[in-house]
Amino acid sequence: MNEGGTPYSPKRLKTTRWGTRAAAWALVAALLIPMLNWARVYAAETPEGGLCVHHPAHTPDCGFVEASLGSPCSLSPDTGLPEDQVYTPGSDALPEHVHDETCGYAPAQEGHPCTYLCPYCVSGWEWNNPEEMLAWNEDAKLWGLGLPGASESMPVTREMLAELLPQSATVSTLDGKKSEQALAWDLSAVPETGAAQGRFSVSASLPEPFALTGSAPTLSVLVEVGEGEVLASNRALNDCSFRAQPGTTVTKNDDGTWSMDVYVLSNATSAQLKEVVPSVLPQLIYGRGYSDASDGGFTYDPNGPSVPSGEPSKWGTLEIAWKTIPDDMRIGQVYSLKPSAKSSAYNWIINANYGDGELLLNVALHPIDVNQHTVPAANPDATVNLFDYWVKTENPTVATNGDILVKSDLHIHEEGDTGELAKTATNYSTVTDWNLGINRNHLLLFGDGMIHSGLWNKGAGSNCRYGQLYAGMEGIVKNVLAEDGYPELNLENADKILTSDKTSPEIVTVPGPDDTDVTIAKYQLIKDYALTGDHDGEIDYDGNNTPAGAYSSDNIQNLNQTVIETWGGNIDTDTESLQYLFDPTVSHPNKTSYTDVKGLFQIDDEGYYYL
């Protein structure tokens, strides 16, 4: 491309130094053979009027009217506004009055939004890249051009890049129109003498007066030159459809797009919407993907439809992420969103053959009036304190992950709730993972995956046989509060197994794996009870790749020996009050207290409080 931004002519290409285009194709040949490269389209926003660099102030033509409540007439005996401009008080004391600037009257005025739709503000674009030289680089979140064949004797020059990069782009403007615009590339990041290796970010600009909006991606390409890391391979997923999350509905439209209604609080801010909306959108796409892409976020569906004979694709689901959520979302608007693959192992092209068109989800945001869903609270004559504890992270960056512990131990676990063992191992945490934050040097622990911390800390849960038969774990605290008025751990049973007599556990009869009744100790109804003791070594696989001795542990107790030793006390002579957890006056760096909380309860027809 020359300085004026126009492509080189074919005639000039034949006379350039050492054959620019031929050398360029030689450099990218190694990249193009194993890859399918597609131009990616960025969907434009729903057009809406407003101020921009081309319309910096409202004009009579744009229709904008600022809403006003008006003001009453100072001579009016009423507090409301008169219905017309003439006021007759009905008394000879005040003659007929016509509102003017002296009486202060101003009528209410309904507001109207700006209807100006800018023909130059670009909300989306797509490369016009007929040779399909570019690929999406997931790590850098940029378009990439890989040139692995460069060398000192054949460096990549600015002139070469100008031939390989797209010459134009089709832009979508806020007035809903599309047009092809030439691109002017800034290649100053590449040395004048060329480059044999390295990464260079180059960007393009549109001709004036076109300008990118804040939500439009930048016109940039990451150029990877030399023997560095080659761009991730592309994979195609065709015939795609969204899989809605439970409790949500996604509908396919006649034009091939999809629609979804999302209901949010009427006072939600743009920042809150950007956090909440992605959590309810579909997390999976169903479609036909390459059968060798199982490690790229694609899960094969063995019950999926048949594929044409000889075609190397299978039906399944692909985990997706939503990377095009606007920063300025507002209730009452509809946003056209495009999904991206969550996995970075491959560059997944959604609906690669575009036979069904681009996969887009039109999300309509509707308000929920919280007042219609609010009932008066029934506050009991009691003080309710709430507490928040954490081990490592008070405010995790991904709210759905919570305060998740590190998992540093592998063990075979129980599959289902009847004692059958899984074929593969699961990660669990150990003492180095849980002895942190609110747990440090204590016996009652918080966190996940703490299978080696005793029966009390592992817990049962309603998804195992023990949890289905019993209300909860037995005897964790004493029946009488300690002298400080707070619960106290029942250390007499700390080194036992649920019952006070370790040698004679309570026996129960329950259905076994083959639907026949089995007689076992009550604590054996707890899923993975055999792992609740101390860690007893890594998994050892035999020649058939099946677990050998992987489902076991030492010191299976209510609190195993490692937890007791980490606590540092003597279970026979010391005590462990839970005052540090439940007393709001006791501070802790991994604890937040909320005192005298109201509005939590309702009261039923029989006078009982409930949450």
Side-chain angles (χ1 to χ4, degrees):
M1 181 175 293
N2 60 27
E3 293 181 359
T6 58
Y8 288 107
S9 66
K11 183 176 181 181
R12 183 178 179 184
L13 279 173
K14 294 180 181 179
T15 60
T16 17
R17 288 187 300 112
W18 57 276
T20 302
R21 181 173 293 275
W25 277 106
L27 288 173
V28 301
L31 181 67
L32 292 178
I33 291 173
M35 296 178 61
L36 294 173
N37 293 295
W38 300 87
R40 177 168 301 201
V41 178
Y42 289 87
E45 296 175 324
T46 302
E48 57 182 84
L51 299 178
C52 67
V53 294
H54 306 102
H55 182 61
H58 296 297
T59 65
D61 296 334
C62 76
F64 176 79
V65 177
E66 187 174 3
S68 171
L69 296 176
S71 59
C73 174
S74 61
L75 300 178
S76 172
D78 303 320
T79 58
L81 294 174
E83 295 181 357
D84 53 37
Q85 291 285 341
V86 179
Y87 169 64
T88 303
S91 169
D92 294 338
L94 289 174
E96 182 179 272
H97 168 63
V98 177
H99 298 307
D100 54 31
E101 64 275 5
T102 63
C103 71
Y105 172 77
Q109 185 169 254
E110 183 180 356
H112 296 283
C114 176
T115 59
Y116 178 78
L117 297 174
C118 184
Y120 302 114
C121 280
V122 176
S123 57
W125 52 265
E126 64 179 57
W127 299 119
N128 293 330
N129 189 29
E131 292 174 347
E132 297 177 345
M133 301 289 291
L134 303 184
W136 179 253
N137 187 305
E138 183 65 24
D139 293 333
K141 299 295 187 294
L142 285 173
W143 284 97
L145 175 62
L147 304 173
S151 64
E152 294 293 340
S153 61
M154 187 183 293
V156 174
T157 64
R158 296 177 182 178
E159 188 179 42
M160 181 188 301
L161 283 180
E163 293 294 335
L164 297 176
L165 293 168
Q167 308 295 299
S168 64
T170 298
V171 301
S172 301
T173 48
L174 291 180
D175 61 352
K177 297 180 180 179
K178 292 186 176 182
S179 62
E180 182 176 348
Q181 300 297 327
L183 298 174
W185 286 94
D186 178 5
L187 305 179
S188 59
V190 180
E192 291 185 11
T193 57
Q197 62 180 359
R199 285 188 173 190
F200 308 95
S201 180
V202 298
S203 59
S205 58
L206 296 167
E208 294 183 355
F210 289 94
L212 297 175
T213 63
S215 60
T218 58
L219 289 153
S220 301
V221 172
L222 178 67
V223 181
E224 301 191 38
V225 180
E227 300 302 325
E229 179 182 356
V230 178
L231 295 173
S233 298
N234 286 353
R235 289 293 184 268
L237 192 73
N238 292 310
D239 302 319
C240 300
S241 60
F242 289 108
R243 286 289 177 92
Q245 295 195 65
T248 67
T249 301
V250 179
T251 305
K252 188 173 185 179
N253 305 316
D254 293 338
D255 62 357
T257 63
W258 297 74
S259 294
M260 179 178 183
D261 294 313
V262 176
Y263 295 86
V264 294
L265 293 177
S266 57
N267 61 347
T269 64
S270 294
Q272 291 170 330
L273 291 175
K274 186 167 185 178
E275 180 178 356
V276 170
V277 170
S279 67
V280 299
L281 298 180
Q283 304 300 305
L284 295 173
I285 293 175
Y286 191 75
R288 287 188 301 113
Y290 286 122
S291 60
D292 63 348
S294 58
D295 59 344
F298 180 80
T299 302
Y300 166 60
D301 177 13
N303 300 316
S306 60
V307 297
S309 177
E311 184 172 311
S313 62
K314 293 182 179 180
W315 288 90
T317 55
L318 178 68
E319 290 187 72
I320 60 174
W322 297 95
K323 302 175 183 177
T324 59
I325 304 296
D327 292 327
D328 57 348
M329 297 185 79
R330 294 193 295 273
I331 296 174
Q333 300 293 323
V334 179
Y335 297 91
S336 185
L337 306 178
K338 181 177 180 179
S340 302
K342 181 177 291 186
S343 171
S344 60
Y346 297 101
N347 173 41
W348 283 94
I349 309 300
I350 310 301
N351 271 358
N353 60 15
Y354 295 105
D356 293 329
E358 195 173 20
L359 188 67
L360 297 174
L361 181 61
N362 299 316
V363 179
L365 302 184
H366 304 282
I368 295 177
D369 185 359
V370 68
N371 294 323
Q372 298 180 5
H373 303 272
T374 303
V375 293
N379 293 311
D381 186 17
T383 299
V384 178
N385 298 326
L386 299 181
F387 304 91
D388 182 18
Y389 314 112
W390 60 94
V391 179
K392 295 179 64 177
T393 307
E394 178 182 9
N395 298 304
T397 53
V398 182
T400 53
N401 284 348
D403 192 16
I404 303 299
L405 299 182
V406 174
K407 312 295 188 302
S408 58
D409 171 48
L410 277 173
H411 258 293
I412 292 296
H413 69 100
E414 188 176 322
E415 189 75 23
D417 61 357
T418 58
E420 299 173 90
L421 298 185
K423 300 298 183 183
T424 58
T426 299
N427 279 311
Y428 296 107
S429 58
T430 64
V431 60
T432 57
D433 306 319
W434 72 59
N435 189 35
L436 305 167
I438 195 68
N439 294 339
R440 186 180 294 278
N441 300 329
H442 285 293
L443 295 171
L444 187 63
L445 307 179
F446 295 86
D448 66 312
M450 296 189 301
I451 205 162
H452 295 304
S453 57
L455 293 167
W456 283 350
N457 285 316
K458 186 233 178 268
S462 61
N463 65 338
C464 77
R465 292 175 294 177
Y466 185 94
Q468 294 166 4
L469 293 175
Y470 303 99
M473 305 299 287
E474 299 176 353
I476 295 179
V477 296
K478 293 182 177 180
N479 294 332
V480 179
L481 297 178
E483 294 182 0
D484 57 17
Y486 290 91
E488 180 181 322
L489 289 185
N490 189 2
L491 298 186
E492 292 180 0
N493 288 339
D495 59 351
K496 308 299 189 297
I497 302 182
L498 294 185
T499 58
S500 58
D501 186 354
K502 182 178 179 180
T503 59
S504 302
E506 184 177 342
I507 302 299
V508 293
T509 301
V510 295
D514 56 356
D515 294 329
T516 59
D517 289 343
V518 295
T519 301
I520 58 177
K522 182 169 62 176
Y523 70 86
Q524 293 177 305
L525 297 174
I526 297 175
K527 187 175 180 178
D528 292 324
Y529 74 91
L531 298 179
T532 58
D534 293 328
H535 172 73
D536 66 353
E538 298 294 335
I539 289 180
D540 179 25
Y541 289 96
D542 61 23
N544 296 321
N545 202 35
T546 55
Y551 189 70
S552 64
S553 62
D554 302 320
N555 300 313
I556 299 175
Q557 303 171 168
N558 292 333
L559 294 176
N560 69 2
Q561 209 59 37
T562 295
V563 173
I564 295 173
E565 291 173 359
T566 304
W567 172 54
N570 187 315
I571 61 171
D572 296 322
T573 59
D574 295 329
T575 61
E576 172 79 325
S577 169
L578 300 185
Q579 182 179 9
Y580 75 101
L581 292 177
F582 302 127
D583 187 347
T585 65
V586 176
S587 61
H588 190 285
N590 294 79
K591 165 188 170 184
T592 299
S593 301
Y594 303 90
T595 59
D596 198 18
V597 179
K598 305 294 184 183
L600 297 178
F601 298 97
Q602 295 289 291
I603 193 167
D604 63 19
D605 295 338
E606 298 181 0
Y608 290 95
Y609 290 101
Y610 64 94
L611 285 171

